[in-house]
Amino acid sequence: MSLNSIFQYFVPKDKKFFPLFEQAGANLIDMAKLLKECVNSTNIEERKALSKRLEDLEHVGDNITHQIHLELGRNFITPFDREDIHALASSLDDVADFIHGASNRIQLYKVERPTEPMIELTDLILEATEHVAKALYELKDLKNIRNITDSCVRINSVENKADYIFDKAVADLFEYETDAISLIKNKEVLSAMEDATDKCEDVANVLESILVKNA
């Protein structure tokens, strides 16, 4: 047994950080579901209401991130490296920002008919956030390393699919879209969606770093 493992054995079970990380993960799933509803809705008023609810959840995510930072300042002993806690909180906050950003661009640019790639990307965002939440839940005791690793692998796979869909969608826009304004609007929305999956991959990278340090 390593010295680090022995030390962790005597450290009291964390009751601050892991519940906050789990809340952040659940909040991301709720945001991804709302984005999916927003994209699939054809009613302007309904879409506006969904976007407002999504904005409220983004604020919830901000508050969770703030609480994690406060706990870092209050607690001398943390369940793993302080810089990793900060990096994980920041990467989760980035996911929330870009999910909200995608919804915001749909509203600001008045995208009336979301394209099939947008629908596909929202499905992938939801899938990625579900894997993120699952990994965060397993993080609390670091015993189910295989489950966390599996979630990270799946997040990376989702991100690769999103990259392909985004690249193909942008290529099609340049080839078939004759209206320059529509091209720019669609590309901006697609970009925000693809960025959200990139940020999920950043979460996976932080989680993998934590696993390596605590192996």
Side-chain angles (χ1 to χ4, degrees), residues 148-165:
I148 299 173
T149 301
D150 180 63
S151 293
C152 290
V153 170
R154 293 177 184 274
I155 292 168
N156 290 332
S157 176
V158 168
E159 196 276 332
N160 288 335
K161 291 177 184 176
D163 277 349
Y164 174 79
I165 291 171

Side-chain angles (χ1 to χ4, degrees), residues 3 12 23 28 40 80 86 93 99 114 121 142 163 191 208:
L3 182 62
Q23 289 173 35
L28 289 181
N40 288 316
F80 44 88
H86 183 275
D93 189 55
I99 293 176
L121 284 174
L142 287 176
D163 277 349
S191 179
E208 288 173 341

Side-chain angles (χ1 to χ4, degrees), residues 46 113 145 187 194:
E46 181 185 28
R113 294 184 180 180
I145 292 177
K187 184 177 181 297
E194 196 274 330

Side-chain angles (χ1 to χ4, degrees), residues 28-64:
L28 289 181
I29 292 176
D30 290 341
M31 291 184 69
K33 287 179 178 178
L34 282 176
L35 179 62
K36 182 179 172 68
E37 287 184 54
C38 185
V39 167
N40 288 316
S41 175
T42 56
N43 185 292
I44 295 176
E45 290 304 315
E46 181 185 28
R47 190 185 291 172
K48 187 182 298 184
L50 289 168
S51 184
K52 178 61 174 65
R53 287 170 56 195
L54 205 154
E55 182 179 5
D56 292 339
L57 289 184
E58 195 271 335
H59 292 322
V60 170
D62 286 341
N63 289 334
I64 294 171

Side-chain angles (χ1 to χ4, degrees), residues 27-28 31 35 54-55 57-63 65 89-105 192-193 195-197 199:
N27 191 58
L28 289 181
M31 291 184 69
L35 179 62
L54 205 154
E55 182 179 5
L57 289 184
E58 195 271 335
H59 292 322
V60 170
D62 286 341
N63 289 334
T65 303
S90 297
S91 61
L92 291 168
D93 189 55
D94 287 342
V95 177
D97 287 344
F98 278 95
I99 293 176
H100 173 245
S103 170
N104 205 32
R105 289 182 186 184
M193 291 178 172
D195 283 340
T197 63
K199 297 306 176 182

